């Protein structure tokens, strides 16, 4: 089984827990490693898109707030501040490796509306033609609850479908899907390969989640299900070791691989 060896277009998703230290401040070293590897894959001829969280998290840090605000206007304001800071950092790092990035902010309503969805698809297609790496987030400054995906795991699967990606790679703070909770259960083992996301597999997700992110394993499995059902191979792997991405695209088994169910379906 060669996993992602044949993949030509890959969506990577990075969560807030991968991008920030426990202090809530940006983890520059990690971010730099991720950007470097993705730039290299782009140099090798792959189409790369990056779905990134962190707008609200980075905004909270920059505004000096002690925690993520609960009310919507404060979260929106934090996202306004954080998103531009986030893109400033990405642009700086990607530029160092000679790469041009393009910011794409979207909401659920952009995808649900046929005309706006087509505009998104066209923008992605043109960016790939220009050799640009699209960097995507939910448009958190306007995406109030009714029009939001709410978590970027789900968003990354939608993006993967929109651009007909061959693979979706979700970087997180654990090695993948385990048979139990690895933090509390010594016998918990990593599951290297999932043929089909059954209710039994979904039950393994538990309720995990970290202070910074919104997702946990539940939304990651949901995203994996959406993507694999649309013919997109999906991997959940540890974002603390970005160099492992090289092994992954070389066809090695890293994290948990979710086998795609069929090829060719659109959103
Ligand atoms: N879009 C949110 C942000 O950038 C993150 C959503 C998530 O954690 O999945 O802050």
């Amino acid at each position: 089984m060669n996993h992602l060896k044949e993949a030509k277009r890959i969506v990577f998703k990075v969560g807030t827990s991968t991008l920030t230290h426990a202090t809530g401040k940006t983890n520059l070293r990690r971010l730099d490693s991720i950007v470097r590897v993705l730039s290299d894959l782009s140099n090798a001829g792959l189409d790369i898109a990056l779905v990134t969280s962190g707008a609200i998290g980075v905004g909270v840090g920059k505004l000096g707030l002690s925690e993520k605000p609960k009310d919507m206007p404060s979260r929106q304001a934090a996202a306004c501040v954080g998103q531009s800071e986030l893109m400033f950092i990405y642009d700086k790092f990607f530029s160092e490796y000679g790469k041009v990035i393009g910011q794409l902010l979207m909401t659920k309503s952009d995808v649900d509306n046929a005309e706006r969805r087509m505009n998104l698809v066209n923008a992605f297609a043109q960016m790939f033609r220009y050799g640009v790496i699209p960097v995507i987030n939910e448009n958190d400054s306007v995406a109030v609850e009714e029009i939001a995906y709410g978590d970027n795991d789900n968003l990354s699967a939608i993006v993967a479908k929109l651009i007909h990606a061959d693979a979706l790679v979700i970087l997180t703070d654990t090695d993948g899907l385990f048979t139990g909770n690895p933090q509390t259960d010594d016998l918990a083992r990593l599951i290297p390969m999932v043929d089909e996301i059954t209710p039994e597999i979904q039950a393994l997700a538990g309720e995990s989640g970290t202070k910074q992110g919104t997702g946990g394993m539940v939304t990651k499995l949901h995203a994996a299900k959406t993507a694999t059902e649309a013919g997109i191979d999906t991997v959940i792997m540890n974002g603390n070791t970005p160099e492992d991405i090289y092994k992954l695209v070389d066809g090695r088994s890293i994290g948990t691989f979710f086998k795609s169910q069929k090829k060719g379906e659109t959103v």
Side-chain angles (χ1 to χ4, degrees), residues 223-235:
K225 194 164 167 50
T226 304
T228 52
E229 282 176 0
I232 301 164
D233 290 327
T234 302
V235 173

Side-chain angles (χ1 to χ4, degrees), residues 165-181:
D166 301 306
L168 168 65
V169 178
I170 299 178
L171 301 172
T172 185
D173 52 7
T174 62
D175 288 343
L177 182 66
F178 283 79
T179 54
N181 183 345

Side-chain angles (χ1 to χ4, degrees), residues 42 47-49 99-103 124 126-135:
S42 164
D47 284 343
I48 301 296
K99 290 287 144 192
V100 177
I101 59 170
Q103 170 183 258
F124 274 118
Q126 195 61 22
M127 279 199 271
F128 287 126
R129 275 185 220 111
Y130 284 147
V132 168
I133 297 178
V135 179

Side-chain angles (χ1 to χ4, degrees), residues 55-56 72 75-76 79 83 106 137-144:
I56 297 174
M72 193 49 84
R75 291 166 82 104
Q76 287 172 279
Q83 180 64 31
M106 50 195 274
N137 195 0
E138 181 138 40
N139 194 355
D140 295 311
S141 30
V142 295
V144 292

